Amino acid sequence: MEENKYILEFRNVSKSFGSNQVLKGINFQVRKGTVHALMGENGAGKSTMMKCLFGIYSKDSGEIYVDGEFVNYNSPKQALEEGVSMVHQELNQCLDRTVLDNFFLGRYPGKFGIVNKDEMYARASAVFKSIGVDVDLNALMKKMSVSNRQMVEIAKAVSYKAKVIILDEPTSSLTEKEVKKLFQIINNLKKQGISFVYISHKMDEIFAIADDVSVMRDGQMIMTKLTKDTNMNELISKMVGRPLENRFPVIDNVPSEKENILEVSHLYSAYDPKIYDVSFNVKKNEIFGIYGLVGARRSELLEVLFGMRKISSGSIKYKNRQVFYKSSAEAIKDKIAFVTEERKFNGLFLVDSIKFNSTIACLNKYTNKLGILSESLMEDATLRQVKNMKTKVASINDPITSLSGGNQQKVILGRWLETNPDLFLLDEPTRGIDVGAKYEIYELIVNMVKQGKSCIVVSSEMPEILGITNRIMVLSNGRVAGIVNTKQTNQEELLQLATKYL
């Protein structure tokens, strides 16, 4: 056998939190110079596994080897310095600092407290050039697209002479063009001997970029195969423990032919980023999709509807009356719910419990006759939504950060269901969620509209927007490029419309 064939090895690694065993004798090997996909439902143990590697958690038993050497990192910093890096789904960057500052954060070159700027520019420029990325080193991170911010993290990993880079849902906010660019960079780095662990729920990407694929379920490693030796149906079956015949449920809701729940006319918002002359309507009992490339202003439009962003002119008619919300509280009172795209940035209270995050949207429902919050009512509501959403929790009093990304998303959806909304605004509702949980959320959306509610779904995933909607509005650079019936359109038409005003 070739010496040190594997760049990364987990040997019989286990980890428990109290009585809950989340890793059960994990064996996992990544070959040198390959992309190894790691798949599994949210809560399967993928994140815990990586945290054991990076020294965030201490494993209970087992061993981890990097390039044939036993490792037991005390911190992510030590892992990074020894050639193991991770690019997180939610990028942890100093957005008010430049690309150069973020690149050298914690390791500025210089002597006697004086930073050597020339050396910084030279070293950073060389690394970006080596991976084929052209970036303005003086640009503020907050001014950059998500894809370019991601490239900064990859370049930073390369600068540490990374042997293995873990990519966690790297394309969740990228356009097709940006995904191709990322794949090109990954393939170039593979040729330089760098290996990747590619964590993703997007099946098409796995077959496009991965050499090997492993599937986890309930803390166990279920399967490892060469990607060419498996298929989508087998992966789904291994992930969820049962065959999943279809990626999407039957969309059998019947939108009202006469009644609109929402009518938007000639809407302008002059506040950056701008929205121009947007007009559309959403029917009662309808799933109305909004598609567009990055920068199309999809999220900004939802923020206008929810009272988070001012409008300059135009009108919004909701339930047959003119509305002009000055705050999101007014929209919530009017039975509108909004699930935001960036759950950690503006969807969750990260320092609080699952119970708090489940009930915060309608605390007035959980008060007693004296107006005092009732813990028992809050607990009942949380447990009701945990059961309804099939959320995997050990205790509702645990911090929300103890949950996987997908289970956090379920908490947010359950929170808004407690408000009993008539209109749901869903911005990338299945971002970073596994295929089994996605199906459950799709079913929830269909059932909601069949019960008289309406949904606006923003999605950058083409199969999703085509799989769960009745109609689709395509935005291009803040303008409506077209509104089409889902059953009468295709990917090519949507892409043509998405680039109409670029």
Side-chain angles (χ1 to χ4, degrees), residues 414-434:
R415 169 208 299 168
W416 288 114
L417 280 174
E418 279 294 302
T419 69
N420 191 30
D422 293 319
L423 177 62
F424 245 110
L425 310 178
L426 303 173
D427 194 355
E428 302 285 2
T430 65
R431 179 185 172 198
I433 294 179
D434 63 77

Side-chain angles (χ1 to χ4, degrees), residues 159-273:
S159 74
Y160 273 98
K161 294 183 170 53
K163 299 172 183 175
V164 57
I165 300 174
I166 289 86
L167 300 176
D168 186 7
E169 295 290 346
T171 65
S172 60
S173 296
L174 304 188
T175 65
E176 279 192 46
K177 184 177 179 181
E178 290 167 338
V179 170
K180 288 179 181 177
K181 175 66 175 174
L182 174 65
F183 285 2
Q184 182 183 344
I185 290 170
I186 290 173
N187 284 321
N188 288 341
L189 292 174
K190 268 176 57 178
K191 293 174 184 175
Q192 298 174 30
I194 295 175
S195 304
F196 291 85
V197 177
Y198 193 95
I199 301 173
S200 178
H201 298 114
K202 296 183 178 181
M203 297 286 178
D204 296 342
E205 292 179 6
I206 297 303
F207 290 101
I209 194 66
D211 302 290
D212 305 296
V213 57
S214 292
V215 176
M216 291 185 72
R217 187 175 75 238
D218 296 328
Q220 295 178 297
M221 195 62 69
I222 301 298
M223 181 191 89
T224 296
K225 279 189 174 183
L226 294 173
T227 310
K228 65 182 179 64
D229 292 339
T230 186
N231 56 58
M232 190 180 297
N233 290 335
E234 182 179 28
L235 291 181
I236 292 173
S237 176
K238 296 295 183 184
M239 283 172 63
V240 301
R242 64 187 187 281
L244 195 61
E245 300 299 329
N246 299 299
R247 292 175 68 180
F248 305 100
V250 176
I251 309 302
D252 56 355
N253 61 301
V254 182
S256 172
E257 292 184 6
K258 298 180 180 179
E259 187 177 355
N260 292 328
I261 192 169
L262 182 72
E263 295 174 52
V264 176
S265 300
H266 303 293
L267 188 70
Y268 284 83
S269 177
Y271 303 91
D272 285 333

Side-chain angles (χ1 to χ4, degrees), residues 342-370:
E342 297 286 348
R343 55 177 171 261
K344 288 192 175 180
F345 178 66
N346 53 14
L348 294 169
F349 295 85
L350 295 175
V351 297
D352 284 296
S353 67
I354 296 165
K355 180 173 70 179
F356 181 88
N357 275 278
S358 296
T359 55
I360 186 61
C362 48
L363 288 175
N364 60 311
K365 283 181 61 175
Y366 316 121
T367 55
N368 59 26
K369 294 178 180 179
L370 298 175

Side-chain angles (χ1 to χ4, degrees), residues 74-350:
N74 296 316
S75 68
K77 184 175 184 292
Q78 184 186 2
L80 192 61
E81 290 171 346
E82 295 191 21
V84 180
S85 179
M86 184 168 185
V87 178
H88 297 271
Q89 180 181 350
E90 279 94 9
L91 300 170
N92 297 313
Q93 295 169 319
C94 299
L95 298 183
D96 289 319
R97 306 297 298 176
T98 65
V99 171
L100 198 63
D101 283 328
N102 276 271
F103 190 85
F104 283 102
L105 200 63
R107 51 170 184 153
Y108 285 101
K111 292 181 179 179
F112 311 115
I114 299 173
V115 174
N116 188 332
K117 281 275 188 181
D118 290 339
E119 183 181 347
M120 289 173 66
Y121 275 103
R123 285 169 52 184
S125 297
V127 172
F128 280 107
K129 185 177 180 180
S130 73
I131 66 171
V133 173
D134 184 21
V135 66
D136 179 3
L137 297 176
N138 293 313
L140 291 177
M141 293 299 290
K142 66 183 179 183
K143 298 287 187 181
M144 301 181 69
S145 67
V146 174
S147 63
N148 281 332
R149 287 172 52 201
Q150 200 171 59
M151 299 309 172
V152 172
E153 288 300 296
I154 293 173
K156 189 174 180 178
V158 172
S159 74
Y160 273 98
K161 294 183 170 53
K163 299 172 183 175
V164 57
I165 300 174
I166 289 86
L167 300 176
D168 186 7
E169 295 290 346
T171 65
S172 60
S173 296
L174 304 188
T175 65
E176 279 192 46
K177 184 177 179 181
E178 290 167 338
V179 170
K180 288 179 181 177
K181 175 66 175 174
L182 174 65
F183 285 2
Q184 182 183 344
I185 290 170
I186 290 173
N187 284 321
N188 288 341
L189 292 174
K190 268 176 57 178
K191 293 174 184 175
Q192 298 174 30
I194 295 175
S195 304
F196 291 85
V197 177
Y198 193 95
I199 301 173
S200 178
H201 298 114
K202 296 183 178 181
M203 297 286 178
D204 296 342
E205 292 179 6
I206 297 303
F207 290 101
I209 194 66
D211 302 290
D212 305 296
V213 57
S214 292
V215 176
M216 291 185 72
R217 187 175 75 238
D218 296 328
Q220 295 178 297
M221 195 62 69
I222 301 298
M223 181 191 89
T224 296
K225 279 189 174 183
L226 294 173
T227 310
K228 65 182 179 64
D229 292 339
T230 186
N231 56 58
M232 190 180 297
N233 290 335
E234 182 179 28
L235 291 181
I236 292 173
S237 176
K238 296 295 183 184
M239 283 172 63
V240 301
R242 64 187 187 281
L244 195 61
E245 300 299 329
N246 299 299
R247 292 175 68 180
F248 305 100
V250 176
I251 309 302
D252 56 355
N253 61 301
V254 182
S256 172
E257 292 184 6
K258 298 180 180 179
E259 187 177 355
N260 292 328
I261 192 169
L262 182 72
E263 295 174 52
V264 176
S265 300
H266 303 293
L267 188 70
Y268 284 83
S269 177
Y271 303 91
D272 285 333
K274 297 177 176 62
I275 295 170
Y276 306 92
D277 195 24
V278 169
S279 297
F280 66 98
N281 63 68
V282 178
K283 303 175 188 297
K284 190 175 181 183
N285 308 94
E286 181 179 30
I287 306 171
F288 186 83
I290 301 179
Y291 179 75
L293 305 177
V294 171
R297 322 283 200 268
R298 299 163 303 173
S299 298
E300 288 78 8
L301 178 56
L302 294 192
E303 289 171 1
V304 167
L305 300 177
F306 199 59
M308 295 171 63
R309 183 179 289 268
K310 294 180 180 179
I311 66 173
S312 305
S313 63
S315 68
I316 300 173
K317 209 173 179 181
Y318 175 59
K319 292 194 280 195
N320 292 318
R321 57 187 175 81
Q322 203 84 8
V323 295
F324 183 75
Y325 301 128
K326 295 178 181 178
S327 69
S328 55
E330 291 181 8
I332 294 170
K333 191 175 180 181
D334 226 359
K335 291 191 174 295
I336 297 178
F338 184 20
V339 176
T340 60
E341 177 183 8
E342 297 286 348
R343 55 177 171 261
K344 288 192 175 180
F345 178 66
N346 53 14
L348 294 169
F349 295 85
L350 295 175

